[in-house]
Amino acid sequence: MRSFLKTKTAIALALSVTAGSAVADGHGGVEVLHWWTSGGEAAALNVLKDDLEAQGIAWTDMPVAGGGGEQAMTVLRARVTAGNAPTAVQGLGFDIIDWANQGALANLNDVAAAEGWDDVIPAALQQFAKVDGEWVSAPVNVHSTNWVWANKSVLDANGIAVPETWEDFAAALETLSAAGVTPIAHGGQPWQDATVFDAVAMSALGPDGYRSAFIDLDPEALGSDAMKEAFDRMAVIRANVDDNFSGRDWNLATAMVINGEAGFQMMGDWAKGEFLNAGEVPGEDFLCFRFPGTQDQVTFNADQFMMFDQGGNVSAEQAALATAILSPSFQSAFNVVKGSVPARTDVSDADFDACGKQGMADLAAAAESGNLFGSVAHGHANEASVKNAIYDVVTAHFNGEFDSETAVDELVTAVEIAQ
Ligand code: BGC
């Protein structure tokens, strides 16, 4: 009920903002719908806003809070149905393909050809940015979800080294719990539960199992013993969050690690933006490492901006926005602040901190070795219906409605029905 009300409020807000906006039709400026509302995300968004405003292009901001973008997509559907699509919209993976198939997106082929996108945007992103040979969105970055963020002094004070295996991690959680520190900062929202599940499932299933279960949707892999192990590990995570986890926003969970109230957060690398925004330094104040047992894999999601067809060709402002997004200097400046890594393969890592450098190296290595997989939680493994079916089971299990065995059975059934 609460999230329904939130959604209704978001839609009302969206419609009222649009009604009062002089640039909502795309002429003279851009109206940008996105879910970058935390401190770190807003700082990154400002890099893009400033870039456009320096070119004389007015920016109308249309923020809709909610990681994973579910609420933003609800607002977007209402806007499109009302015949009033925003100029540019943050989108993820299969959602982009869906909007392109509905004929809602402007064709960016001219911009892409002029800027040589085919040569510099990696295949993993092109599969979501190009539909039937047409460029339909501009990739901003590459995030990945199988990261852990840790408070360094909390770990040092408790004699905890960076865990290499699931067993090491489970032991570290016990140590922190015994010391009276919340082991894991978590926000109980379905997309956050699912973000944790990306990494936990990868650790339990391994890359082949992850591919079979979540990319190929093979019922045997979905119903395997390894999947039960994944849910058993989720139950261990659940036992190590604080009592107030329910409904907490992800950035407030990050703040718990920053403040030393909690040891770890399992979250995508947008969490790094919060540490940086708080003036923290990687390696000194906080640590970043791949979730134990997934050191060779990357579960990724890429933010892209879809340019909604405003009736005719891509507008000059949309083309300028797309060009700005893919410029090498913007790719470095933005991603340094956002916590993600560039969507181009030819950007230097010189300006990135240690976590960013590792992110870039891990991404290149995983792409090379075949260990780069779309994130289930962030819409890069499946279309929305399957993603939501997985969310439901993961969250019900996390909240104790199902034991692990039941969760496995429910997962097989839910995925089958959702296809
Ligand atoms: C997006 C990130 C964003 C995060 C939390 C993810 O779905 O890809 O850019 O920072 O949600 O809002």
Side-chain angles (χ1 to χ4, degrees), residues 35-38 41 66-69 90 92 141 143 191 250 267 270 301-303 338 378:
W35 61 93
W36 287 334
T37 54
S38 76
E41 291 174 327
Q90 181 185 358
L92 293 176
N141 61 14
H143 272 302
W191 77 269
W250 69 270
M267 189 40 66
W270 46 89
N301 63 293
D303 293 303
K338 182 69 170 68
H378 295 267

Side-chain angles (χ1 to χ4, degrees), residues 161-175:
V162 168
E164 295 288 328
T165 62
W166 164 255
E167 289 72 22
D168 291 349
F169 189 57
L173 300 180
E174 267 181 37
T175 304

Side-chain angles (χ1 to χ4, degrees), residues 63-138:
V64 182
E70 226 176 323
Q71 286 90 328
M73 291 301 108
T74 304
V75 169
L76 176 61
R77 270 189 299 278
R79 291 281 306 265
V80 174
T81 306
N84 186 23
T87 325
V89 180
Q90 181 185 358
L92 293 176
F94 281 86
D95 288 344
I96 300 171
I97 297 178
D98 196 28
W99 284 112
N101 287 337
Q102 292 180 42
L105 305 184
N107 181 328
L108 299 176
N109 277 1
D110 289 348
V111 182
E115 303 291 325
W117 288 5
D118 278 302
D119 300 330
V120 294
I121 296 178
L125 301 195
Q126 286 200 25
Q127 61 173 317
F128 297 111
K130 233 176 152 176
V131 177
D132 297 333
E134 269 183 29
W135 282 95
V136 293
S137 63

